[in-house]
Amino acid sequence: MKKKILRYGLLAALVGIAAFIAFILSVQWGAFGKIPNEDDLRSIRNYLASEVYSDKGELIGKYFVENRTGATLEEIDSSLIHALVATEDVRFYEHDGVDHRSLLRVLVKSILMGDESSGGGSTITQQLAKNLYGRKSFGILTLPVAKVREYIIAKRLEEVYSKGQILELYLNTVSFGENVYGIETASQRYFNEKPAELSVEQGAVLIGLLKANTLYNPHRNPEAAMQRRNVVLAQMAKYGYLSEREKDSLQEIPLEIDYYNLEEDRPAPYFLAHIKPEVESILKNLSKPDGSAFDIHRDGLVIETTLNKDLQDWANEAVQLHMKRLQSDFDKHWGDRDPWGRNVSVIENEVRKTALYKRLSEQGLEQDSINKIFATPHSVRVFSLSGDEGFENRELSPLDSIKYYQRMLHAGFLAMDPTNGDVKAWVGGLDFQYLPYDHVTSRRQTASTFKPFVYGAALEKGMEPCEFIPNERRVYEEFDDYSPENADKQYGEYYSLKGALKKSLNVVSVEVAMQTGLEKVANFARRMGFTSTLREIPSMALGTNEASLLEMVSAYGAFANGGRRVRPQYITRIKDAFGNTLWERKRTSFEQVTDTTTIRLLTEMLKGVVNEGTGSSIRSTYRLQQEYAGKTGTNQDYSDGWFIGYTPKLVAGAWVGASSPKVHFRGSQGSGSRMALPIWAKFFGRVERSGYRRIYTPSFPALGDSLKSRLDCPDHRDANLFERLDEWIFEGESIYDKAERNQEETYRERRERILREREEKRREMQEKEEPTLWEKIFGKKKR
C-alpha cells in the first residue's frame, strides 16, 4: 500500500513538474503573448515628455502621454542609487536578473498560495520588466503568467544591458505617483530639484515612495512619508551605505518638500495650448535619422520659447487680484437679479450648446423632460475666484451651473516686445482647467482702442495734431442717418485732434475718420497688423469692428516700434532629447508700414491719454512713474473694457468682459479704465519695481523743436470768428457732401473751396440780374 501511494505520489510530482515546465515553455513560446527578444529589448524607448522652457531656461510646461523626463546615471546622485539597492534589491550586483534565494518563497507564497502582497521576490530587473511591459489579465493564471514573463524578460535584460544601464532604465520608468514617471520628474515635483542635487534624505523620500506611492506621498501624507524615509535610511545603514551616526543624524531632519506641480500650477497653460499647433507644424517638416516623424508627446523634445517667466507670473497675479475684486463688485452690483435681464436667449442658447442637451435631444426626449433634468440639482465643483483652492463644491442644477458661469467676468492679457515680436506674457483666462476658452485670441468689438488708427491715418494723410474740429453731433445721411454721440453727452467748443483723442470724443473721432476717408483708415489699420474684417462705415471709428487682443497688441506694437510692424513670435528653438538643434527661428524681419514722424506724433498724443486723459488713473491711482502711451476702450452698454499701452520696449493689452456682451455693468464701473486698465497698471507696476525697469520701461525718444511746435496748442477752445463763418457757409450742406464727396481734401482745403464756389455763384447771379433804372440811365451799377 505504501509503495502504491509512493508510486502515485511520485507520478503526481512528475506530472506536476512536467505541467510546470510545459507552463513555463508555453509562456516563453508566446502562448500568453509575445515575449520580447533581445532586439526588442535593445530598442526599448520610453515615452518622454517634451519640455517647454522660458526665455531664461525655466521649465514652464510639458506635452506628454506619460509625464516622464529622462536622466542619465551620471545625473543621478549616488546616494539615491544606494537607497534604491538597499531597499529594493540588496543583491542586485550579484544576481543575473533573478534572485534565486527568494525565488522559492515567491513560488510558494505568490504563485501557489496566490498571495500577491507577499512581495520580496522581484529584483530591480524584474520590476523593470513589469514597468516596461505591464501585466495582462488571464484570470487565475494572471499572477503566475506575469511572474514567469518577468523572470524570462529579466534574464534577457541582464544579457543586453549592464547593471548601470538597468538602474538608469528603472529609475526613468518607475512611477512615483500623481502621474509622475521617472526620477527627474519626481525630483522636480516634490523638491523642485534635479536628481543630482538631491540630498541623501530627499532621495530616501523618493525611494520610499516606490513601495506605495499614494500612502507615502510626502505632499499628501507627510508623516507616513517621513516614517518610510527613515526605514529607507535604516536599510542604507544596514547594508553599509551609511554609518549609524549618519543614519541617526539624517533621521532627525524634519521632512521638508518644495512641492511644484507644474501640471496643476502651470504658469502659462493658454500660451502652451496656443503654440502647440505651431510646434507640430514645424515638426512636420523634420524627421528622425531613421526617417520617422517626431511626436511632441513622446519624443522628449526641448522647446525654447520667448515667454518670460517673471513677466508671466506678474501678469497672472495682476489678472487674479483685479478680477477677484471686480467679480465681487459685479455680484454686489446685480445682487439677486439676473445681469441678462429679459434677454433669456443668453441662457437658452448656452443650454442648447451643452453636450447634455444634445444627448437628451438625440434620445428623443420632450422639452419638458429635458427642462426637468436641467432643473435637478447635484453636487458639482465650480471655479471660484473666492475659493481657497480656486474652486468650490456646490449643489447646482445644470441650469444653475450655466447661469453661474454666465454671471462670471473674464479677462485676457498679453505682453509683447515690439522690437522683435517676442511674446513675453500670455494670460488667456482665469483658469485653464475650468475655463479653457482663450480670450487673447477671441474676437470682440474693439471700442475706443481703435481710435488711434483713425488719428494715425489722419496724421499720415496730412491733418495736424492742432487742427480743430467742432465737437457737435452730426447726421451722416448716406449711412442711414447715423449720428454718433459722445459718451458723456457733452458737446460744444472746438477740439484739436490731440485733445479729442485724449478725451476720446466720439463725434470728433467719426468726423476725423470721414475727413480722412474710411478706406484710408481701414488701410492704415491693416498695415499696422489687423487681420480681421473691417467694415468701412462711420462707426468703424468707434471700434464697432471686432478683433482679438492678439491683433490689437500686435498692431499697437507698430506704434511702439516707430511704424515698423513685426509679427508675434513664440518659439526660438527646438531640440531633440539628445540636445541636437532641430529648428531655430530666423532673424526677425521688420516691415516699415508708415513714416516715423506720423508715429512719433501719434505716440505723443497717446501719452496725453495716459497723463491727462481717460487713462490718467495710471498716474493718479497706480502712481506709475515711467513714460507710457496708451488708450482705453469701452464698448456700448459697457459690455467690453479694454486698455492697451506701450513703452518703446514693451506693449501690453488687457480685455475684460463676460461671455455674452449682454452681461455687463450698468454704468461707468464697466468702463475700460475700471475694468481693464487696472490689470495693465498692476502689471507695469511690478515691472517698474523690478530689475526689468530699465529694460522694458525706457523713455520715448525726445521730440525735436519742429515736432513739438506741431503739438503746441490747447486741447479745446471756443469757435473763432472764421469758424463761425464756416458754420454759416456749411449750413444746409449735408455732412456726407462735406466729407465723403471730397475725401481727398483736408478740412481747410474744403472750406476754401466752398467759399470760392459760393463767391462764384454770387457773381453768376449778379450777372443774370435785369438792369435797374439807375443802370439804364447812367449805364453802371449804383454803389
Side-chain angles (χ1 to χ4, degrees):
M1 186 68 179
K2 291 183 179 180
K3 289 183 179 180
K4 189 174 182 180
I5 293 174
L6 182 62
R7 188 183 311 117
Y8 281 120
L10 181 61
L11 181 62
L14 290 174
V15 170
I17 292 172
F20 180 67
I21 293 173
F23 171 70
I24 292 175
L25 291 175
S26 67
V27 173
Q28 186 170 1
W29 292 341
F32 297 91
K34 181 179 180 295
I35 302 289
N37 57 35
E38 292 186 0
D39 289 337
D40 296 328
L41 296 176
R42 287 192 180 94
S43 61
I44 286 174
R45 180 172 157 271
N46 289 320
Y47 291 160
L48 297 179
S50 291
E51 298 181 323
V52 185
Y53 288 88
S54 72
D55 60 350
K56 291 188 176 180
E58 300 143 307
L59 183 64
I60 59 173
K62 297 179 180 181
Y63 304 111
F64 57 84
V65 174
E66 293 179 346
N67 186 11
R68 183 202 322 271
T69 48
T72 65
L73 201 61
E74 291 74 19
E75 295 171 332
I76 302 172
D77 188 78
S78 60
S79 66
L80 195 144
I81 301 293
H82 297 157
L84 174 64
V85 172
T87 307
E88 297 293 323
D89 190 357
V90 294
R91 288 183 289 276
F92 172 74
Y93 293 104
E94 300 170 14
H95 62 66
D96 60 354
V98 178
D99 186 355
H100 293 89
R101 291 189 190 182
S102 58
L103 181 59
L104 181 60
R105 172 169 51 83
V106 173
L107 287 173
V108 174
K109 290 187 176 181
S110 295
I111 295 181
L112 298 180
M113 297 177 62
D115 182 7
E116 192 171 353
S117 64
S118 63
S122 293
T123 64
I124 288 175
T125 316
Q126 287 173 293
Q127 291 179 48
L128 173 60
K130 177 183 175 181
N131 293 340
L132 289 172
Y133 298 101
R135 291 179 174 179
K136 296 180 180 179
S137 177
F138 298 100
I140 61 172
L141 293 178
T142 296
L143 187 59
V145 169
K147 289 294 184 180
V148 173
R149 279 176 58 86
E150 289 158 16
Y151 179 100
I152 297 169
I153 295 171
K155 299 282 283 185
R156 293 180 180 179
L157 281 168
E158 293 274 348
E159 294 173 1
V160 172
Y161 294 104
S162 67
K163 290 289 186 180
Q165 289 172 326
I166 288 172
L167 288 171
E168 183 178 302
L169 273 172
Y170 176 82
L171 286 170
N172 283 318
T173 58
V174 69
S175 171
F176 288 88
E178 297 189 6
N179 196 29
V180 169
Y181 294 86
I183 189 62
E184 183 165 358
T185 307
S187 300
Q188 181 187 73
R189 170 67 56 88
Y190 299 109
F191 297 104
N192 203 13
E193 298 280 5
K194 292 286 187 181
E197 298 167 350
L198 293 173
S199 62
V200 176
E201 69 275 12
Q202 288 173 335
V205 171
L206 296 183
I207 297 303
L209 261 172
L210 300 179
K211 184 175 179 64
N213 52 41
T214 299
L215 176 61
Y216 299 121
N217 184 305
H219 178 59
R220 298 175 181 174
N221 303 304
E223 291 184 4
M226 184 172 178
Q227 292 175 2
R228 179 61 183 167
R229 179 202 70 177
N230 289 346
V231 170
V232 174
L233 292 171
Q235 286 291 104
M236 294 176 71
K238 178 180 178 179
Y239 292 105
Y241 294 113
L242 292 175
S243 67
E244 284 296 320
R245 185 175 180 180
E246 287 173 325
K247 179 204 73 173
D248 293 340
S249 177
L250 291 171
Q251 286 180 336
E252 292 299 317
I253 297 175
L255 176 63
E256 294 182 359
I257 66 171
D258 184 5
Y259 187 78
Y260 179 49
N261 189 338
L262 186 64
E263 283 62 61
E264 288 185 1
D265 191 27
R266 290 176 292 177
Y270 295 92
F271 177 75
L272 263 66
H274 182 75
I275 69 171
K276 184 180 177 182
E278 183 173 337
V279 174
E280 292 176 326
S281 177
I282 293 171
L283 294 177
K284 284 182 180 179
N285 298 316
L286 304 172
S287 60
K288 302 174 190 175
D290 63 2
S292 61
F294 284 102
D295 189 326
I296 192 175
H297 298 102
R298 294 177 168 85
D299 287 331
L301 304 172
V302 174
I303 302 161
E304 298 175 7
T305 73
T306 63
L307 204 80
N308 182 279
K309 177 68 162 50
D310 293 326
L311 298 184
Q312 180 67 26
D313 288 344
W314 297 337
N316 286 330
E317 178 185 70
V319 169
Q320 293 294 320
L321 287 175
H322 176 63
M323 293 306 294
K324 185 174 184 178
R325 183 193 64 77
L326 190 68
Q327 186 65 53
S328 176
D329 291 345
F330 188 75
D331 292 339
K332 292 175 183 176
H333 178 81
W334 283 102
D336 295 332
R337 290 169 293 178
D338 293 330
W340 47 88
R342 296 179 180 178
N343 295 310
V344 292
S345 61
V346 171
I347 302 302
E348 291 174 350
N349 291 338
E350 291 302 316
V351 167
R352 293 189 183 96
K353 292 178 185 177
T354 63
L356 174 61
Y357 183 88
K358 293 176 181 177
R359 186 171 69 252
L360 296 175
S361 296
E362 290 171 359
Q363 292 172 1
L365 267 70
E366 297 292 334
Q367 189 62 45
D368 289 344
S369 299
I370 294 176
N371 292 343
K372 186 175 180 180
I373 292 172
F374 267 86
T376 304
H378 56 89
S379 180
V380 294
R381 176 179 288 188
V382 294
F383 172 75
S384 173
L385 282 168
S386 59
D388 293 336
E389 298 182 14
F391 64 86
E392 292 180 5
N393 292 314
R394 295 192 178 188
E395 286 288 324
L396 297 174
S397 68
L399 182 62
D400 290 333
S401 295
I402 291 171
K403 291 180 178 180
Y404 174 85
Y405 282 110
Q406 285 302 304
R407 287 180 64 101
M408 188 172 291
L409 296 176
H410 302 273
F413 182 86
L414 179 70
M416 184 185 83
D417 183 340
T419 65
N420 53 22
D422 287 359
V423 168
K424 293 299 178 184
W426 181 302
V427 183
L430 303 179
D431 186 279
F432 186 76
Q433 180 181 355
Y434 290 90
L435 305 165
Y437 188 72
D438 194 336
H439 294 285
V440 170
T441 56
S442 63
R443 296 169 65 247
R444 297 290 281 256
Q445 289 188 340
T446 59
S448 292
T449 54
F450 187 81
K451 288 177 181 174
F453 302 98
V454 173
Y455 288 85
L459 293 172
E460 185 181 63
K461 184 183 175 184
M463 293 183 76
E464 289 292 328
C466 287
E467 188 160 331
F468 284 84
I469 305 291
N471 178 33
E472 295 294 344
R473 288 197 68 181
R474 299 167 174 82
V475 176
Y476 295 91
E477 297 172 357
E478 295 299 318
F479 292 93
D480 297 325
D481 291 334
Y482 173 67
S483 181
E485 297 179 345
N486 286 334
D488 60 4
K489 305 295 191 297
Q490 299 297 310
Y491 306 96
E493 300 189 300
Y494 276 66
Y495 275 79
S496 63
L497 265 63
K498 74 182 186 74
L501 181 58
K502 183 185 298 183
K503 196 173 179 181
S504 198
L505 296 177
N506 290 342
V507 297
V508 176
S509 298
V510 173
E511 178 62 12
V512 169
M514 295 298 291
Q515 291 189 25
T516 303
L518 299 178
E519 183 180 354
K520 283 183 167 55
V521 172
N523 178 265
F524 183 84
R526 292 187 187 101
R527 281 185 281 127
M528 295 301 111
F530 267 81
T531 56
S532 296
T533 301
L534 291 172
R535 292 173 299 145
E536 296 174 11
I537 54 178
S539 64
M540 173 176 68
L542 308 185
T544 55
N545 285 303
E546 294 181 340
S548 68
L549 182 60
L550 178 59
E551 282 180 82
M552 294 299 291
V553 170
S554 300
Y556 271 67
F559 300 162
N561 200 28
R564 294 178 297 177
R565 177 186 173 187
V566 293
R567 288 173 172 79
Q569 303 291 325
Y570 314 106
I571 306 161
T572 56
R573 188 180 293 108
I574 300 176
K575 298 178 181 179
D576 64 17
F578 306 101
N580 302 310
T581 297
L582 302 174
W583 177 90
E584 192 165 7
R585 187 179 82 186
K586 295 179 181 179
R587 192 172 184 177
T588 303
S589 59
F590 298 95
E591 183 182 358
Q592 190 76 38
V593 291
T594 189
D595 62 281
T596 304
T597 298
T598 293
I599 295 301
R600 295 189 71 182
L601 291 171
L602 181 61
T603 292
E604 286 299 311
M605 292 163 66
L606 291 172
K607 283 168 63 178
V609 173
V610 170
N611 295 332
E612 303 172 298
T614 57
S616 61
S617 61
I618 288 172
R619 304 297 188 201
S620 61
T621 303
Y622 298 98
R623 304 293 181 184
L624 297 189
Q625 301 298 313
Q626 300 297 95
E627 281 192 342
Y628 301 102
K631 186 70 186 74
T632 55
T634 306
N635 249 332
Q636 188 174 8
D637 296 328
Y638 303 99
S639 59
D640 299 272
W642 295 77
F643 185 79
I644 303 173
Y646 59 93
T647 73
K649 297 296 183 181
L650 194 65
V651 55
W655 168 89
V656 174
S659 294
S660 170
K662 294 179 180 178
V663 177
H664 49 74
F665 281 102
R666 290 168 294 178
S668 60
Q669 281 180 285
S671 66
S673 61
R674 295 192 178 186
M675 288 219 297
L677 182 148
I679 295 174
W680 188 97
K682 289 175 186 293
F683 171 79
F684 272 94
R686 291 299 303 266
V687 174
E688 280 197 5
R689 297 191 298 270
S690 73
Y692 292 106
R693 180 186 180 111
R694 292 186 178 181
I695 298 173
Y696 289 123
T697 61
S699 299
F700 291 98
L703 292 180
D705 291 339
S706 61
L707 290 183
K708 284 182 180 178
S709 65
R710 294 172 65 179
L711 293 155
D712 186 16
C713 60
D715 291 338
H716 57 89
R717 59 171 172 75
D718 291 329
N720 57 33
L721 181 62
F722 193 57
E723 287 162 345
R724 291 193 181 97
L725 180 60
D726 278 348
E727 294 171 5
W728 173 78
I729 294 172
F730 288 150
E731 185 178 0
E733 186 175 19
S734 73
I735 292 299
Y736 181 78
D737 289 336
K738 290 188 290 186
E740 186 67 19
R741 181 166 55 82
N742 300 293
Q743 286 184 7
E744 298 303 318
E745 298 175 314
T746 66
Y747 187 87
R748 187 175 290 107
E749 290 170 342
R750 182 159 55 260
R751 181 181 60 200
E752 293 172 354
R753 176 183 57 77
I754 292 175
L755 283 171
R756 289 195 304 271
E757 290 175 353
R758 291 286 175 89
E759 179 62 22
E760 290 172 0
K761 188 173 182 179
R762 184 182 63 80
R763 289 176 181 173
E764 289 176 0
M765 292 295 291
Q766 288 177 341
E767 291 173 358
K768 292 179 181 179
E769 290 177 355
E770 287 292 325
T772 64
L773 179 62
W774 181 276
E775 290 171 339
K776 291 178 180 178
I777 297 172
F778 298 100
K780 58 181 179 180
K781 290 184 179 181
K782 182 178 179 181
R783 292 187 180 275

